[in-house]
Amino acid sequence: MEYRRLGKSGLQVSVLSFGTWVTFGKQIDNSLADQLISTAYEAGINFFDNAEIYARGKSETVLGTILKSKEWPRSSYCLSSKVFFGYEEGRPNQIGLSRKHIVEGCHAALKRLQVDYIDLFYCHRPDKNTPIEETVWAMNTLIQQGKILYWGTSEWSNDEIMQAFVVAERYHLIGPSMEQPQYNMFERTKLEKDYLLLFRDYGLGTTIWSPLSSGLLSGKYIDANPTNTRLNIEGMDWLKERTLGDSSKLDKTKALYELANQLGTSLPKLSIAWCVKNKHVSTAILGASKVEQLKENLGALEALPLLTSEVLETIETILQNKPVQPLY
Ligand code: NDP
């Protein structure tokens, strides 16, 4: 396993990490969840990603119970939670980034995870109705209290993150250390274009999500319609539409699949390696509903040396979606 600094922070995260969205507390049973966590930890993964909204708190409860049973040193892994969407029914103050929901959300996540502190705590989305000062102060207070160690954002725009840095500087508070954007071969703009100044001037780290575009870049949807996948779970029609709705993505996936074969690797390995090839990626969060998937994906680092400039050019020719770089 390779470890990278979370941006300019002192924290080291494994370049491949593991997340529980859709799977824990929902798609898979707890004994399979336990096997996945053990497989990840034994491979050197030291960051497990979670959020209050994942299975409305159940995902954190499952992960907390598993970690408690392992008796691994708390210092040997990092845990995250994310606040915004809420874990309750969504009455006023049960969602958003007010001081009240941030503090209550943190306390509830600590209980579900059965830990004294959360290493990485995220604002899961921007809250247009709460002053940014209130959010930054609340995060800073949680750090001062030792309840969280680093705070960050997820799917915030460049301007919103910049505002958080400005507020932190104005009041001498601790600003965000990381952002969690979607990043994969089909979703590139934030990481490759929008955030460039944040990387250069603020040393922002990133913990990127859906490196396989919810399984599309595993190749299993090429000429096939597997039914035992997250896209077929009740209530996930929106994700199915977002993932499979654009047929050009399937054509590109097919071409990438053939390229991976020519290179003697697999498409999931190639796709994940492509993500972590980008030096602005601190860690790519893997997801898996089966142990075999996770084992396969953990092999992605073997594919890194295959990504020569020539191969990267071939990938660009297939994708045709390289964000246009600004002129600075
Ligand atoms: P991926 O894009 O890698 O999708 C993972 C899913 O793809 C698996 O659960 C599995 O689903 C399928 N899959 C994975 N590997 C293989 C394989 N080798 N062969 C076939 N199928 C495979 O990542 P996620 O979308 O799960 O995102 C990773 C993590 O990022 C999440 O767990 C969460 O922690 C975080 N996240 C954060 C978000 C945010 O807003 N901040 C949003 C979304 C995720 P199946 O078997 O069901 O097809």
Side-chain angles (χ1 to χ4, degrees):
M1 184 58 68
E2 177 191 336
Y3 297 87
R4 291 185 184 173
R5 298 278 165 188
L6 183 65
K8 71 166 190 204
S9 85
L11 191 73
Q12 294 185 60
V13 283
S14 48
V15 71
L16 303 178
S17 46
F18 186 67
T20 62
W21 180 54
V22 186
T23 50
F24 283 39
K26 189 168 176 170
Q27 187 185 9
I28 63 172
D29 66 31
N30 296 354
S31 88
L32 176 52
D34 187 312
Q35 287 175 55
L36 287 165
I37 292 295
S38 289
T39 305
Y41 186 82
E42 279 155 21
I45 281 182
N46 77 345
F47 168 39
F48 300 114
D49 186 62
N50 222 315
E52 61 176 8
I53 186 65
Y54 295 173
R56 293 235 173 244
K58 262 172 83 185
S59 169
E60 290 178 332
T61 303
V62 171
L63 182 63
T65 306
I66 292 171
L67 289 171
K68 185 128 197 168
S69 74
K70 299 293 178 197
E71 296 181 355
W72 295 326
R74 179 67 182 85
S75 52
S76 67
Y77 58 85
C78 301
L79 288 179
S80 76
S81 182
K82 307 187 200 81
V83 67
F84 177 82
F85 291 108
Y87 53 94
E88 295 164 299
E89 59 184 278
R91 287 174 174 235
N93 301 321
Q94 292 180 335
I95 58 171
L97 298 178
S98 65
R99 182 178 302 115
K100 181 168 169 64
H101 184 59
I102 288 180
V103 170
E104 289 175 349
C106 178
H107 289 172
L110 286 169
K111 265 199 200 136
R112 288 189 297 263
L113 289 164
Q114 301 184 57
V115 291
D116 299 326
Y117 62 90
I118 291 165
D119 303 84
L120 294 88
F121 197 47
Y122 295 87
C123 299
H124 210 159
R125 291 292 181 270
D127 178 351
K128 315 268 182 215
N129 298 309
T130 297
I132 184 69
E133 284 85 355
E134 182 171 334
T135 298
V136 177
W137 270 103
M139 286 295 184
N140 188 76
T141 301
L142 289 174
I143 291 179
Q144 302 307 323
Q145 293 173 339
K147 290 175 183 165
I148 66 171
L149 305 187
Y150 300 86
W151 79 272
T153 57
S154 180
E155 293 295 333
W156 285 29
S157 70
N158 167 73
D159 289 358
E160 288 159 340
I161 301 171
M162 200 68 94
Q163 264 192 323
F165 277 117
V166 169
V167 167
E169 279 178 352
R170 184 178 308 147
Y171 298 107
H172 301 289
L173 307 175
I174 297 175
S177 296
M178 68 286 177
E179 152 68 33
Q180 186 168 132
Q182 183 176 179
Y183 184 56
N184 55 54
M185 286 179 177
F186 294 127
E187 202 64 46
R188 306 173 59 178
T189 311
K190 280 198 164 78
L191 204 109
E192 292 186 32
K193 180 167 171 264
D194 297 354
Y195 295 156
L196 291 183
L197 283 180
L198 293 166
F199 299 141
R200 192 191 71 184
D201 297 345
Y202 291 94
L204 189 74
T206 64
T207 63
I208 64 113
W209 60 268
S210 285
L212 294 181
S213 188
S214 267
L216 173 60
L217 286 165
S218 71
K220 67 183 169 189
Y221 297 102
I222 303 170
D223 303 327
N225 185 18
T227 50
N228 60 341
T229 77
R230 72 165 56 162
L231 301 189
N232 293 295
I233 296 174
E234 204 186 322
M236 297 301 257
D237 306 345
W238 63 273
L239 186 65
K240 188 170 194 170
E241 174 55 29
R242 195 171 79 183
T243 309
L244 301 178
D246 173 358
S247 64
S248 74
K249 281 192 194 168
L250 270 170
D251 296 340
K252 290 175 185 181
T253 304
K254 198 170 186 171
L256 291 164
Y257 181 85
E258 280 156 17
L259 176 66
N261 275 349
Q262 281 164 26
L263 294 168
T265 186
S266 70
L267 181 55
K269 284 183 188 166
L270 187 75
S271 304
I272 295 165
W274 180 90
C275 292
V276 303
K277 177 86 179 164
N278 188 317
K279 67 175 189 225
H280 297 306
V281 172
S282 315
T283 179
I285 312 174
L286 307 180
S289 69
K290 297 179 182 60
V291 174
E292 307 79 67
Q293 291 175 354
L294 180 57
K295 286 188 173 159
E296 164 81 19
N297 301 348
L298 283 166
L301 301 188
E302 294 157 19
L304 264 177
L306 302 174
L307 290 172
T308 59
S309 43
E310 203 188 350
V311 169
L312 289 170
E313 261 319 301
T314 308
I315 292 174
E316 292 299 357
T317 309
I318 294 169
L319 292 177
Q320 296 291 320
N321 63 359
K322 192 176 172 65
V324 178
Q325 299 296 327
L327 288 175
Y328 55 80

